[in-house]
Amino acid sequence: MTAFTSELLPNYLAGQWQIGTGVGSALSDPVTGSELVRVDATGLDLEAGFDFARQQGGTDLRALSYRQRGALLGSVLKVLQANRDAYYEIATANSGTVKNDSAVDIDGALFTLGVYAKMGETLGDRHFLLDGEPARLGKDPLFQSQHIQSPTRGVALFINAFNFPAWGLWEKAAPALLSGVPVIIKPATATAWLTQRMVRDVVDSGILPTGALSVICGSSTGLLDQLQTFDVLSFTGSAETAAVIRSHPAVTQRSVRVNIEADSLNSALLLPGEGADSESFALLAKEVAREMTVKSGQKCTAIRRIFVPESQYAAAAEAIGERLAKTTVGNPRNETVRMGALVNRTQFDAVRIGLDYLKTQTAVLHDGASHALVDADASSCCLGPTLLGTRNAAGSDASDRVHDTEVFGPVATLIPYRNLAHALQLVRRGQGSLVCSVYGSDAAALTQAAIGLADSHGRVHIVSPDVAALHTGHGNVMPQSLHGGPGRAGGGEELGGLRALNFYHRRSALQASGTVLAQLSAPAEIAIA
Ligand code: NAP
């Protein structure tokens, strides 16, 4: 059993565990309200810590090949697997999640790490990557251009959101470390404990070179000031904080490369012609109810808007409502509970305010307030799932709030459409999203809709009856597929298999004689000077 005490968690920077000099911020249990641990980063020598990571961690990582770094990730995975039970305990206490929801974060992290560990093997003993084929630069073929990708000589700073303290760390750190770039992670304060504990276990294991992985818990003050030209910054969080980050001199003046994953009004779309008795209809209702309730809707990929033909509106409201009504809500320690708490009072209040805002343009089709709480009282951050809806397809054109407002909780809105063109137009009013799932049985119609949605979504998840038992879920981010979305979703790109490594590499064109470029065909023998 992990001892839950109100200890101040140490930060790990410059190869040392360091306690902040302030009183810190308390992390609490969203069900019982009790204080768990405190975090604080006051007084840390950030400049020395960032330099140490760049100089020591970066140099030692770049001296290794992709295969060797992949092997290190494999060893890190074993350490995390050995401590998995402790991570679940922390998640229950600090995030208020039921076991299945903790698994999305914790086991999702371990799975992603494992995928990148294996990729190291496929990249082999080289220290840089070839990018495409050589290209002739003139009539004489001797002088050619070959693009290569080499790891950036900086540090990767990660600033993460509260909802994925485990996966959010490793989905970023695995590609960075595999690329040979040291990582400094600043988790969201509300749930920093799980991230800090994972880093602690990995640091204590001594597997990674010193300075390859650091953690700073507490305020973000001063972090961006440390970033230099060859550093990279990967941010996940709200659009408001993203705007602050984009305007920082590190980005505007020092050209620090930035990846932003922000909020997103993801959609589910039932194609025209799919009746209430169709398998596609049932698959949509199931997935919507699941997405609304997994992690209490605190998933960046969760379905927020559901589009159905206007003839199916009433049936969809009933089918989704029936499923939501079966969701038991309350203390995640009670085994009958299927949906735990929102992460804290601030988020709880924000969801209530967001719901009231959406209700001014929608009707309540299933009321979260109708759910009795199990082993939790009104002072907890538990809230039942709420399905909202507009009344008719013409009304859906007039409602703007549902397309603009991300309520980060168990809330979604059902919206009727007149025809496919109308549906696609409404989906696109989200201004760019992480994911849209499309439900139907006609392969040609599914393809046509997916192509129409691809430019405004990082991922289009197509659910036809033949993959009913196989598909990986609307909201589950698989490391093989791209995660990120254009426009409002932040414009970022993460994962997508080896594509994730691009962010941590610099592309360069080597222009030379074919004799010189031929040296690149034995890359294992060329280390990075
Ligand atoms: P947030 O309030 O924007 O915080 C995100 C992170 O930024 C936290 O670590 C926070 O630290 C830090 N931060 C706050 N102010 C900062 C500043 N001025 N400079 C630098 N860093 C700063 O977001 P959140 O409430 O944790 O997360 C919820 C949001 O994240 C939702 O909108 C959700 O859609 C989005 N999200 C997106 C994805 C995705 O992949 N697209 C994934 C998950 C969540 P403190 O915690 O210490 O304030």
Side-chain angles (χ1 to χ4, degrees), residues 61-83:
L61 280 172
R62 284 194 304 276
L64 303 173
S65 67
Y66 293 94
R67 189 197 302 279
Q68 288 169 318
R69 292 193 293 259
L72 291 187
L73 293 185
S75 302
V76 166
L77 175 60
K78 287 191 185 130
V79 170
L80 298 178
Q81 281 165 336
N83 290 287

Side-chain angles (χ1 to χ4, degrees), residues 159-164 167 186-190 218-220 224 235-242 244-245 261-264 299-300 304 347 406 408 434 483 489 494:
I159 299 181
N160 272 0
F162 70 82
N163 56 339
F164 280 103
W167 177 81
K186 187 270 185 261
T189 295
S219 165
S220 57
L224 270 70
F235 169 78
T236 300
S238 64
E240 292 76 27
T241 312
V244 173
I245 285 177
E261 302 286 343
D263 49 15
S264 174
K299 260 171 47 255
C300 50
R304 307 289 179 203
Q347 287 300 317
E406 182 202 47
F408 207 59
L434 295 171
H483 175 59
E494 290 180 339

